[in-house]
Amino acid sequence: MSRREMNELADDRDKCAARSARNAASAKAAANDPTLSENMRRQAAATVPIALRHAQEYREEAEALRDGRIPGEDW
């Protein structure tokens, strides 16, 4: 993989991280929305940590790519 391709993939991973962070915020809002059923609020609350973890993983992948490493190969 060329350096340019790695940087492009890192940019994509940053976009994915931002999307996951937005999803976490949306789920948090839904979890606190009194107009939703209790079941829907519980489901939304359960997705918050998952979306936040995904955002962190995407950020870590972007950092690895920018450092010239292939994510997962150094674990």
Side-chain angles (χ1 to χ4, degrees):
M1 186 179 289
S2 74
R3 190 67 173 167
R4 186 182 112 269
E5 290 170 323
M6 291 175 88
N7 285 333
E8 288 173 356
L9 189 54
D11 290 344
D12 179 68
R13 292 299 179 248
D14 285 334
K15 290 176 188 174
C16 292
R19 183 183 63 230
S20 290
R22 286 191 306 272
N23 290 343
S26 177
K28 187 174 181 178
N32 293 307
D33 185 343
T35 66
L36 298 177
S37 71
E38 181 65 28
N39 189 46
M40 289 185 75
R41 289 194 309 269
R42 276 196 306 269
Q43 288 175 346
T47 66
V48 172
I50 296 167
L52 291 173
R53 185 177 69 244
H54 287 173
Q56 180 61 34
E57 289 169 354
Y58 284 128
R59 284 190 292 272
E60 289 170 2
E61 288 180 13
E63 181 181 346
L65 288 161
R66 288 197 175 89
D67 288 344
R69 297 178 286 119
I70 303 296
E73 286 190 352
D74 55 346
W75 297 351

